[in-house]
Amino acid sequence: MPSRASVKRYVRRQVMRAAYRTDLRRPLDPNLAVYGAYWNRGVACNPAAIHAKARELAPHIRGVWAVSSRHRDRMPAGVPYVIEGSRPYWRAMATATYLVNNSSFPGGFTKRPGQRYLQTHHGSPLKTMGLDQRAYPELARKADFAKILAHVGQWDFSLSANPHSTEVWDRVYPGPYQRLDLGYPRNDVYFTATAEDIAKMRAELGIHADQTALLYAPTHRDYREGFVPDLDPERLARELGPDCVVLVRAHYFYGRSAGLGGAPTGRVRDVTAHPRVEELCLAADALITDYSSLAFDYACLDRPIVVHAPDWDTYRTTRGTYFDLLSGRPGDTPGAVTITSDELVEVFRTGEWRSPASAALRTAFRERFCPYDDGHAAERVVRRFFAVPFAPPSR
């Protein structure tokens, strides 16, 4: 017999859905936009940058964020939001003319004629995505490809950061949407932040001006549970000495902590809960990562990137990738590559991490994956999506 709580939840859902069907008969609000990011985790990524620029260039557009009740504490003061599944949420989804998301709006919604949906995505694809996952049994078992295609059918625009992304999105998310090869708005800050801005970010993180800050930001693994770092940040900090600080950023799938355990030294910082990964990138002197799409964004800064990938063969076998990140070929590899912890330490001890050879790889990688990023992507997207005309040149 169902519990009283489950019955109440069922009744509430039915009431909300009935109210939503009523709202679908209301006229669209031409000045309302609903934003969402990372399955309603709060203000982040490309939607956040688009929202900020829309407030500047299209102040008549009222932006509202969809956020789950679990993440409402992440909402900045003064930013309007609606709680996923609530009455205001369904009314906003039914009547907004503009919808912007980097993933999807959980719970499902009926896209109405006249609504405009911009899918911004949230990274350049190294790992297989969308329909390409059908070739990998473990991924295919968990995916609902009919649901994926139904979601793609709602898009009016798909944003790309580079030609590689456009090619992949066209294949794995087939649909009649328009392609926007305009760059990633979330990367604008890498071109607009001043030296004073960066110094402030470092100070807030407790990084001294004479210290080298290494940001370790690995992605998640489909084949294992929980955050299991492939390097020992304590050892790395200890081996490199007091002039080095290691910032550890676990993937958001693992919550708000890297769960390092023990008592980290002052030179190992868990920054998983930091609200803006872009600020962490700006504060860091180098990025250590594996298969994370953060490498594509960090390349905009033209700072060293070290790929630490001890499980590359397993990752390629279980998840599939679009190119060989460890090949050392210009355009495929962004910098020095390490497989073991000893190799990682040596890359920094010997200076290979910022050698001319590593810089040359980074340049080719940046040319391939950051061709549209120039600090003005958000403006281009806002003007295209919200139909904001460019101001005529002053005489």
Side-chain angles (χ1 to χ4, degrees), residues 87-106:
R87 182 76 178 88
Y89 170 83
W90 286 115
R91 175 163 290 187
M93 292 301 297
T95 59
T97 294
Y98 304 99
L99 304 167
V100 181
N101 209 307
N102 74 352
S103 49
S104 64
F105 292 99

Side-chain angles (χ1 to χ4, degrees), residues 114-189:
Q115 286 187 314
R116 291 159 62 88
Y117 189 167
L118 168 60
Q119 172 57 244
T120 74
H121 306 281
H122 53 272
S124 295
L126 167 64
K127 62 187 178 184
T128 55
M129 302 291 290
L131 298 186
D132 280 351
Q133 296 180 44
R134 292 177 296 184
Y136 297 86
E138 187 62 21
L139 298 177
R141 183 179 63 82
K142 300 176 183 178
D144 185 336
F145 295 106
K147 187 175 180 179
I148 289 173
L149 291 175
H151 179 220
V152 172
Q154 296 173 327
W155 303 352
D156 295 291
F157 301 93
S158 172
L159 185 63
S160 282
N162 46 62
H164 163 74
S165 294
T166 302
E167 177 186 346
V168 172
W169 301 150
D170 282 353
R171 183 179 67 254
V172 305
Y173 300 127
Y177 52 80
Q178 296 183 43
R179 291 114 182 110
L180 299 184
D181 296 330
L182 301 177
Y184 265 2
R186 72 183 186 187
N187 291 344
D188 285 355
V189 67

Side-chain angles (χ1 to χ4, degrees), residues 16-241:
M16 290 296 104
R17 298 300 291 183
Y20 176 56
R21 288 192 292 271
T22 299
D23 288 335
L24 287 172
R25 294 194 289 270
R26 295 177 179 273
L28 293 177
D29 184 339
N31 296 322
L32 178 60
V34 177
Y35 296 86
Y38 298 116
W39 297 274
N40 294 352
R41 281 178 167 85
V43 180
C45 193
N46 292 312
I50 294 169
H51 177 225
K53 185 58 69 172
R55 294 174 72 174
E56 173 189 335
L57 298 178
H60 62 286
I61 301 293
R62 181 168 57 91
V64 174
W65 281 82
V67 62
S68 75
S69 58
R70 300 189 307 279
H71 301 294
R72 66 192 309 167
D73 62 308
R74 296 186 177 189
M75 294 303 298
V79 176
Y81 67 91
V82 290
I83 296 297
E84 175 190 331
S86 69
R87 182 76 178 88
Y89 170 83
W90 286 115
R91 175 163 290 187
M93 292 301 297
T95 59
T97 294
Y98 304 99
L99 304 167
V100 181
N101 209 307
N102 74 352
S103 49
S104 64
F105 292 99
F109 73 97
T110 301
K111 182 165 178 282
R112 300 172 61 184
Q115 286 187 314
R116 291 159 62 88
Y117 189 167
L118 168 60
Q119 172 57 244
T120 74
H121 306 281
H122 53 272
S124 295
L126 167 64
K127 62 187 178 184
T128 55
M129 302 291 290
L131 298 186
D132 280 351
Q133 296 180 44
R134 292 177 296 184
Y136 297 86
E138 187 62 21
L139 298 177
R141 183 179 63 82
K142 300 176 183 178
D144 185 336
F145 295 106
K147 187 175 180 179
I148 289 173
L149 291 175
H151 179 220
V152 172
Q154 296 173 327
W155 303 352
D156 295 291
F157 301 93
S158 172
L159 185 63
S160 282
N162 46 62
H164 163 74
S165 294
T166 302
E167 177 186 346
V168 172
W169 301 150
D170 282 353
R171 183 179 67 254
V172 305
Y173 300 127
Y177 52 80
Q178 296 183 43
R179 291 114 182 110
L180 299 184
D181 296 330
L182 301 177
Y184 265 2
R186 72 183 186 187
N187 291 344
D188 285 355
V189 67
Y190 298 138
F191 299 88
T192 59
T194 65
E196 291 75 18
D197 293 332
I198 295 172
K200 181 180 178 183
M201 294 171 194
R202 286 173 65 92
E204 290 174 349
L205 290 165
I207 303 168
H208 300 152
D210 59 350
Q211 286 183 311
T212 297
L214 307 178
L215 175 59
Y216 173 51
T219 192
H220 76 286
R221 305 295 197 274
D222 296 288
Y223 62 86
R224 66 188 183 200
E225 296 294 328
F227 177 61
V228 182
D230 285 312
L231 62 84
D232 181 347
E234 286 286 333
R235 180 198 171 192
L236 182 63
R238 185 173 60 252
E239 294 276 8
L240 298 183

